[in-house]
Amino acid sequence: MFPPVKSKVNFSQLEENILRLWQDNNVFERSVEARQGAPRFVLYEGPPTANGSPGIHHVLSRVFKDIIPRYKAMKGYYTPRIAGWDTHGLPVELEVERELGFSGKAQIEEYGVDRFNARCRESVFSYLKEWEALTERIAFWIDLKHPYITMENSYIETCWWAIKQMWDRGLVYQGYKVTPHCPRCGTSLSSHEVALGYQDDTEDPSVYIKFKLVEQSRQKLNLERPAYFLAWTTTPWTLPGNTALAVAPEAEYAIVEVAQEYLILAPVLLEQAGLGDAPVVAKVEGSDLVGLRYEPLFNPSDFDIPVETMAGLGKEGQSPSGILWKQEGSFNYPVIAGDFVSMEDGTGIVHMAPAYGEVDYQAGTEQGLDFVHTVDLQGKVIGNYPFSGLFVKDADPLILDDLKLRNLLYRSETIRHTYPFCWRCEAPLLYYAKQTWYIRTTAVKESLIAGNAEINWYPEHIKYGRFGNWLENNVDWAFSRERYWGTPLPVWRCENPECGNLDCVGSVPELENKPGFAGLKEPLDLHRPFVDELTYDCAKCGAKMRRVPEVIDCWFDSGAMPVAQYHYPFDPESRTIREDGRFPADYICEALDQTRGWFYSLHAISTLLFNCPCFRNVICLGHILDAKGEKMSKAKGNVVEPWAVINEYGADALRWYFFTSSPPGNVRRFAEKSVAEVTRHFLLTLWNVYSFFVTYANIDHFTPGSEGALLEESELDRWIISELNQLIIDVDSAMENYNPTEAGRKIESFVDDLSNWYVRRSRRRFWKSENDADKLAAYTTLYQCLVTLSKLLAPFTPFLAEELYQNLVCSVFPQAPDSVHLADFPVADENKIDKQLAADIQLAMKISSLGRAARSQAGIKVRQPLAVASTTLVSKQEQSEAINQMVRDELNVKEIKAATTEELAAMATNPDYVVDNVASPSTALYTKLTPELQAEGMAREIVHRLQTMRRSAGFDIADHIDTYYQGDDYIREVMENKTLADYIKQETLSQRLVEGFPEKVDFKETYKLSGYNVLLGVKRLG
Ligand SMILES: [Zn+2]
Ligand SMILES: [Zn+2]
């Protein structure tokens, strides 16, 4: 006997029980250990930052991370899976700043870096329990007991080692460059962080500014009245920093007259600037403008702003001391030639502020422009302007007012465009010239590109699209952060300004063995401020070496996980990772935004260290939106709470929905009702087949394995077993190709066929009273299907698969593996695949479904037998009796006829026929009824009512009954017709059909059937 299975099921409850079973029996650990010695299959877990509750998108990535290693384990691979937690960086610091009510770095310094970092450490772990609970509940099997944690000393030490490797090859440098800078967080960001924070539809000023030509330059152009260059900008706050204008030397410029003044701009942009009607008084070449000079909008010397010159600076902005050379500026700002000047928008004359733009800075070093900083690192205007002390965006309107008063603002509007914001705090980023540490990734650009060629991307277009483009446009990695909670940059600098010696430290022992090493407090903590206390003697001059203040980008931490999770190369066991299969990973999976985040930092670090990629296969998941297609956000209140969905439908339903609803790379709209739908369509369909099997198998005392030679396989059995073996091949191959969606959909369609064709068409074989070879074959076949399904489904819906397996296998075969997740993946028996039979049945299904469509069009119930169905889908030669038999049953017709297209077309216009589709009919039903057909239809109606009554009376499926009736004469005729009466008895397990009623029946009901009245009653026997 199998443990009984109810037809009603609470999946969530069932899953909780299975979870306990797994925990009690250490099934995950054993599923890994059982394969020791086999080839490895390695997943790298992209460490989530555990500083907030996990959301539905985390469930998405975690179940996709889970499914592939589960499949590989069943295929015989050794698949240890190590969890990881990302614990450093801005995400954590900001969370703590919020808790403490801080708004910037000054408050952190005042509070104390030690106390602040202690809070960061705590904060990370406050959410960890929740993450672990969700990870377990959705059955993401990963070793949570031994995770790698990026803030541990050993992890940091490997990061130091990695940086030192790069340092020794000259790949780490400090550059004075324009870097994306978050004024709130007070730190540089890398280009990949910037890529995470673009916001469309940002409103900014769009202004045209007049720059007045100096007297001498005006005369050169033979202009008698005041003349101005017109330039356009969306960042008025950069105007006080302006020190040049750029033109395209080859282009033509127009001098137009407006209100007794002259304006100079490109003629192609006159219209856009609203000067389409202004008279053009002259045209000049851009090269004629180069070298002309104009008056500063805001002369720095009037506002207490120091001026420096960029003359003599190298390309990376490195003067010998690392800062700019101070020198008095000229204040007569020049027009320069620039190949970057666009004629697409603006005026063809570009405002240059070398401190606040990459191109501007580049031009500044090349042309020796003046350089002024008018804004500090908090984004506040310095000096003594009327708008000093304001945040740049707040200063914008005041700057424009000022220019307007002086008649230097030509036109002022607003624009909506895409602008980068801080990916963590959402402050608008400023492009800001300052010192930052860089990794020279551009030096290995070719290797980055070549390595990408070896990686399999799913979906494929990411490879040379989003990711490939990113690599093609590689810029050096700005990887230092002027922050607190992170891996400290292991660079020490000599305090003696004359010396300035720089030294990179690659390990703790290396540091401790430095001459004059001091400042160590036990226990060692490699975080600020403790690490800042560690000093040693300069090898060059003997003065004190102190660590530079920066920490590093947390994306470096996570990108270093292939080595740092093993404490490479310090731990002796770690040294073999490149030979024993632990590096590179076979598989990683994250959402699309990680192409510029973790996918990139992994690839960059691995290429820099080992000149090879560190992952072979990657599934790149599309983003998840709400049901209406909008981004989920707390502010909008449309965030889906994963626990609510899991408690309602179970984790399997959510997993199945994620795997099968759309390919992994697609953007998906999450709707809870879709999870309800997959539950109904798939999980419950399978459950009903399972519960049907167990119920009848128990009634008949079916014991698998005892069939012996008794089997008498029907065509239907051979067909479903053929389909089952084909399914194994299809699922295996889709999974091998990292395509769970296709694999899942194949399973879904098999279960549909199993339920709606095999089981439905086999019902009678299970119901009949004799336990013959045919019945046994049916049980054996269905049993085999269900057991195989449990194994195929194990990576997809691990709970339901386990339920089936425990009941169907473990309860019968004590020697079998005690969990489906310890079993091997099924292997197809290709001899059992019969392609012809599969095609035949496919055809029968198709004809039947078209015939049913015709019936429903004509409004004739399937219970009413019809004489003939004609179809063009089979020719007279191909018609097999097996197909005919099935279609006759399905369509409840007496005969199937092959017909030509012309014949069908004629039937479509004949009122005695109904066709499936008037435009191109392929199946037609003849709808005229004979008295015999009518009587048979009535008999079927009666059977249908009696079956419903049996259920209402609470009879068991196998109970025998007597049936009583009373009604119109026509009813008696049907009941007394020998053939029809036998049919009714057989279908309803009725011993007798009796006219009239005894004193007591178990259930009775009055009906009107096709206009005839009848009272029916049922009584259970013995
Ligand atoms: Zn920020
Ligand atoms: Zn020194």
Side-chain angles (χ1 to χ4, degrees):
M1 285 280 278
F2 299 105
V5 175
K6 293 211 179 84
S7 60
K8 279 228 164 64
V9 55
N10 177 338
F11 284 116
S12 194
Q13 187 62 53
L14 176 137
E15 292 177 358
E16 304 270 356
N17 295 338
I18 301 250
L19 275 177
R20 270 193 293 279
L21 176 87
W22 289 339
Q23 275 153 10
D24 292 348
N25 296 299
N26 293 317
V27 178
F28 168 50
E29 292 78 359
R30 287 165 56 218
S31 77
V32 175
E33 289 318 312
R35 309 292 191 182
Q36 250 200 12
R40 272 181 197 261
F41 181 86
V42 173
L43 164 84
Y44 283 166
E45 155 73 326
T49 312
N51 74 321
S53 301
I56 197 83
H57 56 292
H58 294 112
V59 176
L60 173 69
S61 61
R62 287 174 106 61
V63 302
F64 269 94
K65 287 175 191 184
D66 180 64
I67 188 170
I68 302 287
R70 275 185 187 271
Y71 159 74
K72 291 290 180 179
M74 292 181 80
K75 292 287 284 183
Y77 288 87
Y78 178 48
T79 60
R81 286 153 256 178
I82 305 169
W85 303 111
D86 200 357
T87 53
H88 278 154
L90 275 184
V92 184
E93 290 195 39
L94 254 64
E95 175 82 8
V96 172
E97 277 196 68
R98 249 193 299 273
E99 277 169 28
L100 294 172
F102 291 176
S103 58
K105 283 159 70 174
Q107 284 166 297
I108 298 174
E109 303 269 357
E110 199 180 307
Y111 182 74
V113 174
D114 51 344
R115 287 172 70 204
F116 181 76
N117 275 357
R119 295 283 299 238
C120 288
R121 186 185 288 269
E122 260 172 53
S123 156
V124 171
F125 286 102
S126 61
Y127 289 98
L128 219 57
K129 282 273 161 290
E130 210 180 318
W131 274 85
E132 288 178 349
L134 186 69
T135 301
E136 278 179 9
R137 184 61 187 80
I138 60 175
F140 173 27
W141 274 3
I142 191 148
D143 186 353
L144 292 167
K145 291 185 195 121
H146 311 93
Y148 69 86
I149 301 172
T150 60
M151 67 182 188
E152 285 179 348
N153 279 350
S154 61
Y155 198 97
I156 292 173
E157 193 177 28
T158 295
C159 290
W160 282 16
W161 169 85
I163 293 165
K164 169 92 169 181
Q165 300 297 303
M166 299 169 196
W167 176 276
D168 286 347
R169 285 157 56 206
L171 297 174
V172 178
Y173 68 92
Q174 189 178 29
Y176 192 96
K177 292 206 236 181
V178 172
T179 315
H181 173 86
C182 173
R184 200 223 67 90
C185 299
T187 185
S188 308
L189 298 177
S190 63
S191 52
H192 48 263
E193 285 174 310
V194 176
L196 296 173
Y198 279 102
Q199 289 183 15
D200 296 337
D201 232 20
T202 306
E203 193 172 289
D204 268 320
S206 162
V207 294
Y208 290 82
I209 306 295
K210 292 156 69 179
F211 294 79
K212 190 173 188 185
L213 278 73
V214 299
E215 189 67 25
Q216 220 178 359
S217 295
R218 178 163 65 87
Q219 281 165 9
K220 268 196 186 159
L221 293 176
N222 295 320
L223 298 173
E224 281 156 17
R225 288 198 290 269
Y228 301 86
F229 295 113
L230 199 62
W232 174 77
T233 185
T234 57
T235 50
W237 63 268
T238 61
L239 290 170
N242 171 281
T243 61
L245 293 171
V247 297
E250 320 276 273
E252 194 183 42
Y253 286 84
I255 301 171
V256 298
E257 192 181 333
V258 182
Q260 318 243 309
E261 295 173 347
Y262 298 113
L263 296 178
I264 304 173
L265 68 162
V268 292
L269 290 160
L270 280 171
E271 193 72 51
Q272 232 182 74
L275 288 163
D277 297 333
V280 176
V281 296
K283 285 192 174 172
V284 291
E285 288 273 303
S287 54
D288 296 335
L289 300 176
V290 173
L292 298 185
R293 293 179 179 270
Y294 63 92
E295 295 174 7
L297 296 177
F298 297 91
N299 192 328
S301 61
D302 296 344
F303 300 102
D304 250 0
I305 298 288
V307 182
E308 298 163 277
T309 175
M310 300 177 84
L313 285 178
K315 274 214 160 182
E316 272 158 15
Q318 289 281 41
S319 62
S321 63
I323 52 165
L324 294 163
W325 293 348
K326 301 231 170 190
Q327 205 182 59
E328 202 58 9
S330 65
F331 308 133
N332 265 339
Y333 293 158
V335 175
I336 59 170
D339 53 10
F340 48 81
V341 176
S342 148
M343 293 293 163
E344 299 292 309
D345 50 22
T347 63
I349 300 178
V350 178
H351 139 63
M352 310 291 291
Y356 307 117
E358 265 180 271
V359 172
D360 315 46
Y361 187 88
Q362 197 65 33
T365 59
E366 283 163 14
Q367 313 230 8
L369 299 180
D370 283 359
F371 179 96
V372 287
H373 253 317
T374 58
V375 169
D376 68 10
L377 286 164
Q378 280 82 55
K380 290 189 177 140
V381 180
I382 54 174
N384 57 13
Y385 299 95
F387 38 84
S388 289
L390 291 178
F391 183 64
V392 291
K393 295 283 174 185
D394 302 323
D396 277 351
L398 300 185
I399 294 171
L400 294 177
D401 285 350
D402 188 307
L403 292 171
K404 196 172 174 188
L405 279 175
R406 295 190 275 138
N407 186 30
L408 294 175
L409 178 64
Y410 165 66
R411 190 172 169 195
S412 172
E413 290 163 349
T414 56
I415 188 179
R416 289 189 169 276
H417 63 164
T418 303
Y419 192 85
F421 290 79
C422 177
W423 67 295
R424 291 315 309 185
C425 78
E426 299 202 338
L429 297 184
L430 310 181
Y431 284 84
Y432 196 98
K434 62 180 204 176
Q435 273 184 319
T436 300
W437 291 89
Y438 290 88
I439 299 175
R440 205 183 303 273
T441 51
T442 48
V444 295
K445 181 173 156 181
E446 294 315 311
S447 303
L448 288 171
I449 291 167
N452 182 34
E454 297 171 32
I455 298 170
N456 296 318
W457 287 87
Y458 306 94
E460 214 184 325
H461 64 82
I462 308 282
K463 180 172 183 160
Y464 294 116
R466 205 176 157 94
F467 195 66
N469 290 338
W470 180 250
L471 299 180
E472 291 287 346
N473 295 311
N474 188 259
V475 294
D476 286 349
W477 182 349
F479 89 125
S480 62
R481 298 288 175 269
E482 299 103 292
R483 296 292 308 185
Y484 309 96
W485 180 240
T487 295
L489 182 64
V491 173
W492 270 254
R493 190 199 303 269
C494 179
E495 267 187 344
N496 170 7
E498 303 284 297
C499 173
N501 181 26
L502 289 171
D503 188 22
C504 179
V505 173
S507 74
V508 174
E510 183 188 336
L511 182 63
E512 289 175 340
N513 289 325
K514 295 281 185 187
F517 173 72
L520 179 63
K521 277 201 201 80
E522 295 288 352
L524 176 70
D525 178 354
L526 290 181
H527 287 98
R528 297 188 68 188
F530 312 106
V531 73
D532 300 335
E533 302 299 314
L534 306 178
T535 60
Y536 56 90
D537 299 341
C538 174
K540 288 194 180 152
C541 75
K544 202 173 262 184
M545 298 289 282
R546 277 196 185 281
R547 201 186 68 82
V548 301
E550 290 92 346
V551 296
I552 63 170
D553 185 358
C554 61
W555 295 95
F556 188 97
D557 290 356
S558 54
M561 66 73 73
V563 282
Q565 66 176 332
Y566 302 116
H567 194 202
Y568 185 90
F570 304 102
D571 182 336
E573 283 196 2
S574 73
R575 291 178 196 144
T576 53
I577 57 168
R578 299 188 67 195
E579 290 88 54
D580 63 19
R582 283 181 287 170
F583 178 102
D586 294 287
Y587 172 57
I588 62 172
C589 168
E590 301 291 338
L592 187 67
D593 54 359
Q594 298 297 337
T595 40
R596 290 159 188 190
W598 191 57
F599 295 152
Y600 172 67
S601 67
L602 273 180
H603 188 58
I605 292 174
S606 163
T607 304
L608 286 158
L609 292 178
F610 304 126
N611 195 26
C612 69
C614 68
F615 51 94
R616 294 193 175 99
N617 299 285
V618 46
I619 291 184
C620 195
L621 296 165
H623 288 295
I624 204 165
L625 306 172
D626 76 359
K628 292 189 200 118
E630 288 190 33
K631 240 180 167 171
M632 290 189 194
S633 78
K634 276 189 194 137
K636 279 190 211 146
N638 61 350
V639 174
V640 176
E641 195 355 281
W643 283 106
V645 181
I646 292 164
N647 290 337
E648 177 73 24
Y649 303 99
D652 275 347
L654 188 53
R655 289 175 66 113
W656 190 256
Y657 166 72
F658 279 146
F659 293 139
T660 60
S661 63
S662 64
N666 289 15
V667 173
R668 44 183 94 221
R669 294 178 176 203
F670 185 88
E672 202 179 306
K673 70 173 198 295
S674 313
V675 181
E677 239 164 70
V678 305
T679 305
R680 208 166 42 243
H681 279 148
F682 178 67
L683 297 179
L684 284 177
T685 303
L686 178 58
W687 185 266
N688 288 339
V689 173
Y690 164 60
S691 129
F692 171 88
F693 170 81
V694 169
T695 305
Y696 283 91
N698 282 344
I699 291 172
D700 285 326
H701 303 288
F702 167 73
T703 313
S706 65
E707 305 85 354
L710 271 174
L711 287 184
E712 196 176 275
E713 283 180 337
S714 71
E715 188 156 68
L716 207 53
D717 298 334
R718 285 200 298 108
W719 166 72
I720 198 72
I721 293 297
S722 165
E723 294 289 81
L724 182 68
N725 282 286
Q726 186 61 51
L727 178 70
I728 295 171
I729 293 175
D730 292 346
V731 171
D732 199 17
S733 120
M735 290 302 283
E736 201 59 56
N737 287 305
Y738 293 84
N739 193 344
T741 306
E742 190 187 315
R745 287 177 178 177
K746 296 266 184 195
I747 296 175
E748 198 160 68
S749 117
F750 175 85
V751 167
D752 193 41
D753 288 350
L754 181 69
S755 164
N756 292 320
W757 197 265
Y758 179 79
V759 171
R760 190 170 53 78
R761 296 200 48 76
S762 298
R763 255 172 223 276
R764 267 159 224 289
R765 304 167 69 199
F766 295 104
W767 282 342
K768 67 184 172 187
S769 41
E770 59 275 34
N771 269 340
D772 59 5
D774 173 60
K775 187 185 236 183
L776 200 53
Y779 277 123
T780 308
T781 303
L782 187 51
Y783 178 79
Q784 194 187 337
C785 289
L786 287 168
V787 170
T788 307
L789 273 174
S790 78
K791 294 175 187 170
L792 292 175
L793 279 171
F796 294 84
T797 52
F799 297 99
L800 181 56
E802 188 72 282
E803 158 69 22
L804 263 61
Y805 182 87
Q806 288 296 325
N807 194 346
L808 300 177
V809 179
C810 295
S811 72
V812 189
F813 300 106
Q815 74 283 11
D818 60 297
S819 162
V820 72
H821 304 290
L822 299 168
D824 288 340
F825 201 76
V827 177
D829 180 350
E830 298 197 32
N831 294 324
K832 296 263 168 81
I833 297 176
D834 183 340
K835 295 225 151 109
Q836 184 57 51
L837 179 61
D840 285 353
I841 301 235
Q842 202 62 47
L843 191 58
M845 286 178 173
K846 182 153 191 215
I847 300 170
S848 305
S849 119
L850 293 173
R852 275 194 294 269
R855 259 188 188 276
S856 83
Q857 236 185 78
I860 305 171
K861 284 184 190 163
V862 181
R863 282 194 282 280
Q864 175 58 59
L866 295 174
V868 186
S870 307
T871 180
T872 58
L873 296 177
V874 287
S875 66
K876 286 195 175 72
Q877 297 80 13
E878 298 171 334
Q879 251 184 319
S880 87
E881 184 40 38
I883 297 183
N884 282 353
Q885 174 61 45
M886 270 183 255
V887 178
R888 279 201 298 268
D889 273 13
E890 283 296 315
L891 287 183
N892 195 14
V893 296
K894 299 298 169 193
E895 196 184 349
I896 306 292
K897 277 188 183 162
T900 63
T901 316
E902 295 73 38
E903 285 168 333
L904 251 290
M907 290 174 196
T909 59
N910 182 334
D912 288 343
Y913 287 88
V914 59
V915 296
D916 56 332
N917 173 355
V918 182
S920 58
S922 58
T923 300
L925 299 173
Y926 181 63
T927 54
K928 281 239 150 151
L929 297 179
T930 60
E932 289 77 21
L933 289 172
Q934 242 161 355
E936 198 180 326
M938 178 58 81
R940 286 189 179 234
E941 281 298 339
I942 290 170
V943 166
H944 174 62
R945 307 300 147 151
L946 288 172
Q947 270 157 352
T948 310
M949 289 167 69
R950 285 183 57 111
R951 275 196 295 277
S952 307
F955 295 170
D956 210 65
I957 293 158
D959 283 340
H960 286 255
I961 61 167
D962 272 342
T963 291
Y964 299 90
Y965 69 93
Q966 205 163 12
D968 295 343
D969 291 349
Y970 184 64
I971 301 289
R972 188 185 315 112
E973 262 174 56
V974 171
M975 289 295 207
E976 287 179 356
N977 174 309
K978 169 86 172 73
T979 318
L980 297 178
D982 284 349
Y983 165 75
I984 295 170
K985 285 184 196 163
Q986 190 194 337
E987 291 295 311
T988 57
L989 297 186
S990 296
Q991 206 83 334
R992 301 180 299 156
L993 306 178
V994 186
E995 185 169 20
F997 273 72
E999 267 172 34
K1000 195 169 168 292
V1001 292
D1002 293 315
F1003 198 88
K1004 63 180 172 181
E1005 188 91 64
T1006 311
Y1007 300 101
K1008 190 158 196 128
L1009 302 176
S1010 309
Y1012 300 102
N1013 294 305
V1014 61
L1015 172 65
L1016 291 172
V1018 291
K1019 189 175 179 196
R1020 179 161 41 193
L1021 297 176

